[in-house]
Every structure is written in structure tokens, then in C-alpha cells.
Amino acid sequence: MSNSWIIKNGVVIDTEPQPVVLGEVDVLVREGRIAAVGPDLTAEGVAEIDATGMIVLPGFVDSHRHTWQSTIRAVAPDTTLGGYVEHVLGELGPRFGPGDVHAGIAAGARECLDSGITTMLDWSHVQFTPEHTDAAVDALTASGIRAVFGFCYGGTDQDQMAPEGRRVREALTGDLVSMAVAAFGPEFGDLARAAGEWRLAQELDLTVSVHMGGHGAESAERGLAFLDAHGFMGGPRTTYIHANYYTDEHLKRIADSGGSVSVSPFSEMALAIGYPVTGRAREFGIPASFSADAVTSGPGDMFGMMRTAHALERGRPEGAGLGFTTRDALRMATIEGAEVVGLADVTGSLRVGKQADLQLLRTDTPSMAGAQDVIGAVVLNADTSAVDTVMVSGRVLKRAGRLASV
């Protein structure tokens, strides 16, 4: 599969340091990396992609997705967080064998690629045995997507968590799949397990992704106190999922520690997890990203997440969020998301030298025709039907609206 291309005649959006429309310029990809962005580029021996009538921009980054649940989509559309935990995690999850995990993650990865998501953090809390874990990693690797595998140990013998984590870390030798620790505690599970998860991340020099701050004010305070007591604030680098109940003081501490947040704007509202922290976090300089969370209770495409976040932020009381723009939403969906998952030097923008993780959006669909503000149209009007071409590391995984057979 070729990974060298020249993309011509498209309207190009870059996102670093801020989203900007570069106009009708060319993008040259050599050996999977962005080699040049500019007008009238030429390159001998490189296949051309004609992007006439299309928007060219970086692929989206989803910072928290329980991808294994793709095969039980919409199983709990009108539940709350408690109902989700009881039914999906307590009743359905334990019935998944390794083959079911592989099928769910394979389907979820294809869903991401189909909708322009080229990078995701797969928060995998279905690892009941090493075979479950291997099935998850194999599905991610085979899909062609860029992924951070969120290791959440699910075995009954907690003494085996660290050895299993080391085994997985050593097995990840490819270019596209890396690893983070998906910590179950301290707001879920016992605190001894939580301490073991953070120590494992420190040992393996991995980031931590954790559901913290979305379970009430008292729980949010206790969770940060636990991190403080064990010296975990600031090391390892931590992404806080559903961080909606943190006070301004808490957010300042997270910012000072180098932490980031993952916002699931739809599921947080639908499951009553709290009002999304989007603008509040960014006001403190905390890198913020979007996540689909779980398609058991919400949509899985980035367009829906950007629109939901944009509307909710601008609808904050007394106009507190009116400064949040479509450019902010697109930044969170691309370069800021890449920063949150630890891949800002790899993906998320069109900077020369980065991996060519790109998407081309059609503008001749009914929802995109006549668009005036290009970035505004991407955020507020586009949907999966507009995604014509998707490229990961220069490999074309969707073309002319059809996914490749991977």
C-alpha cells in the first residue's frame, strides 16, 4: 500500500498552533510523513489525489473510547451512569470472550476511520484474561488506525497486574499502537489497586487516563487528595475524564501538575455525569479533548461531539461560554486532542515532519453545499457522509467514501 502522495486542488486547514484556513494549497506526503504544504507543489513519481471541491485537514483525535462496546451499540440509550455501570459493565461486559472483544474493537476502529477519526485512545476495561488483552491489541493493530491502548487490568489476581502490564508494553513494537494505563481507581475500585496502577505507569513511563471528577463534588475532592497523598499529582502525566465537578481551585492544581482533560459532551449530559468542563478547563490552560466515550448511550462520530460541545459551551449561564468558537472546537478535535493523548509531535496538524494522518471532506453534499466559513462548516454542518478520504501514516484507508478492506 502506497504511503506517498501529493494532494492538490483542495482547500486546506491547518490546526497548529491555531486552526487556520490556508486556502487552495497542496500537501505533499512522502513515506508516510508530511513533506511540504504550499502552492503549486510538484513531485515526480508520486501519485496524485485530486481534492477539487474538498476540504483537506488533519484527522480527528478521540481521547477516550470504550471501543469494545461497538457490538452493543444503543443497548442503553436512555440510562444514567449508574444504569450503564450496572447493565453494560456488570452484566454484559463479563459475557464478552476474546473473540467478542476482537469483533467489537475491529468494528469500532472502522467506525472511527469512516468518520475521519485517525487516532483514538482505546479505554479497554474488558481485559479479564491475557487472551482478552491480546485480542484487543490485535484488533487495533490490524485496523490500521493510530491508537493508544488504554491498559485496564481486569484479572482477579491483583498481584498479576504489573507483570501483565509489562508483558503488554513489551509486545507493542509497531509504529501505530502505543500504550497508556487506563486506571480504574481511585474513584472506582479499591485504593490499593489504584496505587498499583499509578506505580505501574511510573515504572513503564506511561501516561494515565482515569475517570475522575465526574461522580460528585465529594468524590472529586477525595480522588485528588488520594493523588496528593501518594505523590502522584504531576507524575505520571494524567488525563482526567469527565472532570465536571472540579472547582476552580482543583482545575488550577490540575493545570499546575501538567494534567489534561477528556470531555465527552454528549454522554456527560445524557448519563447525568455533569455539565461538561470544556471552557472552564481551557480557561486554566488545561489541554482539553473530545471523546465519544460509549456508543451504548451516544453517537460515535467527532462531528456530533464538536457540535454538542459548541452548543453547550456557548449556552452556559450569563454568556460565560460565548468566547468558545468553532475554531476552538476544531482545535480540541485535532492538535489539542493529540496533545492530551501524548502524540502532539506525531499527529494532529499539518506540520512538516509529522505523520500524514489526514482526511478530505466533500463540500458537494446537501449539508455542506454553499459553505462560507470553512471551519464553521466542518464543525457545524459536516457529518460522516462528507468524509471522502482518510489517511493514516500516508496509507489511504478510506477513498471515495468507501473504507478499504483492512
Side-chain angles (χ1 to χ4, degrees):
M1 183 182 293
S2 174
N3 62 352
S4 296
W5 308 90
I6 186 165
I7 305 170
K8 299 188 73 70
N9 307 318
V11 174
V12 177
I13 299 173
D14 197 4
T15 54
E16 186 180 11
Q18 297 293 333
V20 60
V21 179
L22 301 179
E24 191 173 304
V25 297
D26 305 329
V27 179
L28 177 62
V29 176
R30 286 193 182 276
E31 301 299 325
R33 294 182 179 274
I34 298 169
V37 179
D40 303 320
L41 298 179
T42 59
E44 293 184 4
V46 175
E48 178 178 324
I49 294 177
D50 183 5
T52 299
M54 298 187 196
I55 301 168
V56 182
L57 71 159
F60 296 133
V61 179
D62 183 335
S63 62
H64 154 242
R65 191 182 193 101
H66 304 302
T67 319
W68 63 272
Q69 296 173 5
S70 299
T71 51
I72 49 173
R73 184 184 311 276
V75 73
D78 301 307
T79 191
T80 62
L81 177 61
Y84 164 85
V85 170
E86 179 180 357
H87 183 47
V88 176
L89 301 188
E91 297 173 352
L92 299 181
R95 302 181 187 180
F96 272 62
D100 304 313
V101 172
H102 193 285
I105 292 179
R110 287 177 65 81
E111 177 187 9
C112 287
L113 292 168
D114 190 48
S115 63
I117 296 170
T118 54
T119 299
M120 68 167 173
L121 188 146
D122 176 31
W123 216 103
S124 186
H125 50 2
V126 68
Q127 297 170 53
F128 305 122
T129 68
E131 290 75 24
H132 285 75
T133 300
D134 292 343
V137 172
D138 181 70
L140 289 173
T141 303
S143 73
I145 199 168
R146 190 176 306 282
V148 179
F149 177 62
F151 173 78
C152 182
Y153 179 71
T156 56
D157 184 355
Q158 293 303 306
D159 290 338
Q160 291 302 308
M161 178 171 63
E164 177 67 357
R166 296 184 197 108
R167 181 188 75 84
V168 175
R169 179 69 178 84
E170 292 172 2
L172 292 175
T173 57
D175 296 331
L176 292 179
V177 182
S178 55
M179 182 176 172
V181 170
F184 203 71
E187 293 191 44
F188 289 102
D190 65 79
L191 298 183
R193 171 195 168 114
E197 291 170 325
W198 254 266
R199 286 194 292 268
L200 177 63
Q202 289 178 327
E203 174 192 338
L204 300 181
D205 193 25
L206 300 174
T207 61
V208 170
S209 178
V210 61
H211 297 83
M212 285 182 64
H215 316 292
E218 292 184 5
S219 180
E221 175 63 42
R222 286 198 305 271
L224 287 187
F226 167 85
L227 298 187
D228 275 333
H230 289 80
F232 295 141
M233 285 290 287
R237 191 175 64 82
T238 300
T239 297
Y240 300 82
I241 304 165
H242 310 318
N244 302 328
Y245 286 96
Y246 288 130
T247 65
D248 287 354
E249 179 187 351
H250 294 153
L251 292 175
K252 184 178 186 306
R253 288 165 60 192
I254 290 172
D256 291 344
S257 73
S260 59
V261 301
S262 177
V263 181
S264 306
F266 188 92
S267 68
E268 287 168 6
M269 295 300 290
L271 299 179
I273 303 176
Y275 206 91
V277 74
T278 311
R280 293 180 56 232
R282 298 180 89 245
E283 287 166 5
F284 282 89
I286 300 173
S289 58
F290 292 133
S291 80
D293 194 359
V295 296
T296 54
S297 308
D301 66 287
M302 186 61 71
F303 301 107
M305 290 179 254
M306 290 191 292
R307 274 195 285 276
T308 302
H310 183 263
L312 290 173
E313 187 58 28
R314 292 181 66 83
R316 284 170 58 193
E318 300 179 357
L322 287 176
F324 187 81
T325 68
T326 53
R327 282 159 171 74
D328 294 323
L330 183 60
R331 191 179 197 282
M332 287 179 63
T334 53
I335 184 61
E336 207 163 328
E339 182 178 352
V340 168
V341 301
L343 295 174
D345 290 335
V346 175
T347 190
S349 75
L350 302 184
R351 193 175 77 208
V352 171
K354 283 193 176 185
Q355 294 287 322
D357 297 351
L358 310 175
Q359 59 178 314
L360 278 61
L361 305 182
R362 294 171 54 192
T363 60
D364 62 352
T365 63
S367 64
M368 291 289 281
Q372 302 298 303
D373 185 305
V374 178
I375 292 175
V378 170
V379 174
L380 300 180
N381 304 113
D383 57 31
T384 299
S385 69
V387 181
D388 178 270
T389 299
V390 175
M391 181 183 296
V392 177
S393 193
R395 301 178 182 90
V396 174
L397 301 181
K398 184 179 184 181
R399 186 76 178 104
R402 297 179 63 87
L403 285 170
S405 297
V406 294

